[in-house]
Amino acid sequence: MTLVPHARSTTTSSVLAASVAGHRGASGHRPEHTLEAYRHALALGADAIEVDVVSTADGVLVARHESDLSATTDVARRAALAHLRSERVVAGRRVQGWFVEDLTLEQVRLLRARERWPLQRPASGAYDGLLAVPTLDEVLGLVAESSRSHGREVGVLVELKDVAPSAARGLDPTEALLDDLRRHDLDRPDSPVSVMGFEPTALASLAGRTRVPLVQLVDDLRARPADLAAAGDPRTFADLVSPRGLAAVADYATGLGPRHSLLARDLGDRVVPTGLVDRAHRHGLEVRTWTLRAEDRFLPRPFRGHDRSGHGDLRGYATLLLDLGVDGLITDHPATCVAARDERPADVPA
């Protein structure tokens, strides 16, 4: 494996302080977005948990990665909910399923979680049918309880999903989020909560309404954020990470959350740093990258094929990203990334 040498970051960000967040909990080990997944992430040493939230029909935020419940719950087996199956266009394609915004909280309470990838993660699949879909309010309660039991403050990265589509249906997940934060006394400058999102309009609107840190997520550079696309704005994620775009992001956010492939380009025989970490740091933005997974198919090619389980060298890849100066790793496998972070020499600069 060949890595292209790169200059170390000259910012004041400390690699030793880089945080590790359990993505949807410890979703490499337990069905995603369940209280058990969050507890397990913290037991594995994660500093924080990452929670995606979507709104029910009656305006309650629940923890799911997408509004379609088909892949991660047993909704298809619930005869009482069969009439709620519908079809809609999601990310440009027609999808048939059961959508959170069509169900009340009482109906969501009937569901039990399922592992998204049971063939790749059979140990997690063993929990199918046992775990409920939690509300954000319940997750924040778990975080408070875990902070007391672990003797340390547990962080929370809350990702707002589908803000523009929800608004079109008369739902405002931003207000529901603020209500939940205030209920737990978490809407404050020193809050352990950060709010993330792909939709810059939603984040910018929150900047004047909350005191918690905001993180602009960035995906495929050719794609357009959903809210900009809905408004007819031609800007893409590439525009958000241009010099002018980063300056604009820094007006409402304190952090940037790029997909890991935007920080280290996979050329097959080597991995080439893109320089985005340093550019973001020069605009005063912390960098939290996602989603680090141990399975080969999710890793750059130079880090694949290291054992018979189908897992590659996630620790090595996490170390590379820490070398680039990232401020946070968001991962399905927290223990591996915690080990990569904690085993770095104390005198390694960011």
Side-chain angles (χ1 to χ4, degrees):
M1 176 178 62
T2 303
L3 302 182
V4 174
H6 58 276
R8 296 199 183 276
S9 169
T10 57
T11 70
T12 58
S13 174
S14 169
V15 168
L16 293 178
S19 65
V20 174
H23 179 246
R24 311 178 197 172
S27 54
H29 307 273
R30 301 288 190 273
E32 66 186 58
H33 287 318
T34 59
L35 295 182
E36 174 61 23
Y38 303 134
R39 288 192 188 97
H40 196 58
L42 298 176
L44 293 175
D47 306 295
I49 57 172
E50 184 268 345
V51 185
D52 302 311
V53 293
V54 291
S55 179
T56 64
D58 45 352
V60 179
L61 295 182
V62 295
R64 290 290 93 188
H65 175 257
E66 63 271 314
S67 63
D68 185 6
L69 296 162
S70 306
T72 61
T73 75
D74 61 359
V75 65
R77 299 180 181 180
R78 301 288 174 175
L81 303 178
H83 66 290
L84 293 174
R85 189 168 190 259
S86 63
E87 180 179 286
R88 66 187 56 176
V89 176
V90 178
R93 59 189 183 89
R94 292 198 170 275
V95 175
Q96 290 188 343
W98 288 261
F99 299 89
V100 175
E101 59 268 29
D102 294 332
L103 278 66
T104 64
L105 177 61
E106 182 180 4
Q107 290 168 325
V108 170
R109 295 288 195 199
L110 300 174
L111 306 179
R112 292 297 176 266
R114 297 174 54 217
E115 169 54 44
R116 182 184 294 270
W117 297 309
L119 297 180
Q120 290 79 23
R121 296 174 174 178
S124 177
Y127 289 83
D128 283 2
L130 301 178
L131 307 171
V133 175
T135 64
L136 177 59
D137 181 64
E138 290 168 338
V139 176
L140 296 178
L142 168 69
V143 167
E145 172 192 317
S146 297
S147 294
R148 291 190 294 269
S149 62
H150 286 275
R152 59 183 172 89
E153 187 170 62
V154 171
V156 188
L157 307 178
V158 180
E159 181 183 340
L160 277 171
K161 309 290 285 193
D162 302 332
V163 178
S166 295
R169 298 175 68 87
L171 299 169
D172 186 354
T174 63
E175 274 304 315
L177 170 64
L178 294 177
D179 287 344
D180 281 340
L181 293 181
R182 290 164 184 159
R183 187 177 303 113
H184 291 267
D185 190 28
L186 290 170
D187 185 11
R188 46 189 171 83
D190 61 343
S191 176
V193 175
S194 294
V195 174
M196 309 190 300
F198 288 102
E199 298 168 76
T201 305
L203 287 180
S205 76
L206 276 171
R209 297 154 58 203
T210 183
R211 294 175 289 175
V212 303
L214 304 177
V215 179
Q216 175 65 59
L217 296 176
V218 180
D219 204 347
D220 181 345
L221 296 183
R222 297 165 296 181
R224 295 161 69 191
D227 58 338
L228 299 187
D233 189 321
R235 285 179 295 165
T236 64
F237 285 111
D239 294 304
L240 295 187
V241 297
S242 69
R244 179 179 296 180
L246 289 172
V249 168
D251 283 341
Y252 60 83
T254 62
L256 191 75
R259 179 187 289 274
H260 64 84
S261 58
L262 300 178
L263 306 182
R265 187 174 297 118
D266 179 4
L267 298 184
D269 61 337
R270 63 194 188 279
V271 176
V272 181
T274 65
L276 180 54
V277 174
D278 284 341
R279 293 197 298 275
H281 282 166
R282 284 197 291 271
H283 285 86
L285 295 165
E286 292 188 346
V287 177
R288 301 176 184 271
T289 191
W290 54 276
T291 299
L292 302 187
R293 297 179 168 114
E295 290 88 358
D296 268 351
R297 66 191 180 106
F298 298 117
L299 288 166
R301 283 166 287 181
F303 292 90
R304 296 178 188 169
H306 288 263
D307 66 36
R308 295 181 180 178
S309 72
H311 285 195
D313 184 14
L314 174 59
R315 184 182 299 192
Y317 185 48
T319 298
L320 170 66
L321 294 170
L322 291 168
D323 279 348
L324 295 180
V326 298
D327 304 284
L329 304 173
I330 302 173
T331 176
D332 287 7
H333 297 87
T336 303
C337 290
V338 168
R341 189 265 316 273
D342 291 350
E343 290 176 6
R344 289 169 55 74
D347 60 348
V348 174

